Amino acid sequence: MNLLLIVSAIAGFGCAIGHSYLSERYILRPLYAATNGSRILENPVNRRLMYAMWHLPSIAWSLVAAATLWMFFAPQWFDATASTLLLYFGIGIYMPAALWNAIAFRGPHVGNILLTIASLALWFGVNV
């Protein structure tokens, strides 16, 4: 294991924190403030559900980043099977999110750059 695992974890945590904080501030709060008569957004259950689903990717990225840090600081807990599982799960979480982000923004964006760095650093950090 090497320092690429730290890079992957930092990129994963950075993307998760940025996604949650910035989207809360610039998307969700204005959206909830200006319901414009939308019956969907006036329902408190729908608001809580939308809030939870919006932050779900950040939770997944944080969990993968935390497991990556755990792999770096406590490698004795990770045998070949656990390392492979984290590798596939981590890349399976990071890379599709990076691709969908690139498609949605139609080009480079800090989110897809950080997620790609997290994915590649995890791949090379485990396989080196």
Side-chain angles (χ1 to χ4, degrees):
M1 306 301 158
N2 57 26
L3 291 177
L4 286 173
L5 295 176
I6 296 289
V7 171
S8 175
I10 289 171
F13 279 129
C15 198
I17 292 167
H19 179 265
S20 282
Y21 174 74
L22 294 174
S23 65
E24 180 76 28
R25 183 170 182 181
Y26 294 109
I27 296 173
L28 290 177
R29 284 185 196 163
L31 183 66
Y32 289 162
T35 58
N36 297 330
S38 171
R39 292 184 307 182
I40 294 171
L41 290 177
E42 288 175 359
N43 186 341
V45 174
N46 290 344
R47 285 175 170 245
R48 287 192 304 268
L49 182 64
M50 186 171 167
Y51 182 80
M53 291 301 103
W54 191 277
H55 291 292
L56 191 60
S58 297
I59 294 168
W61 299 331
S62 295
L63 290 174
V64 172
T68 304
L69 277 180
W70 187 18
M71 179 186 249
F72 179 78
F73 287 115
Q76 67 274 12
W77 290 87
F78 286 84
D79 60 358
T81 304
S83 298
T84 303
L85 184 64
L86 175 63
L87 181 67
Y88 287 131
F89 184 72
I91 291 174
I93 293 292
Y94 287 148
M95 196 51 79
L99 292 173
W100 279 111
N101 188 294
I103 291 168
F105 283 97
R106 295 189 175 119
H109 176 263
V110 67
N112 62 41
I113 292 169
L114 281 175
L115 288 168
T116 302
I117 289 170
S119 180
L120 292 175
L122 181 61
W123 174 263
F124 289 112
V126 170
N127 287 323
V128 171

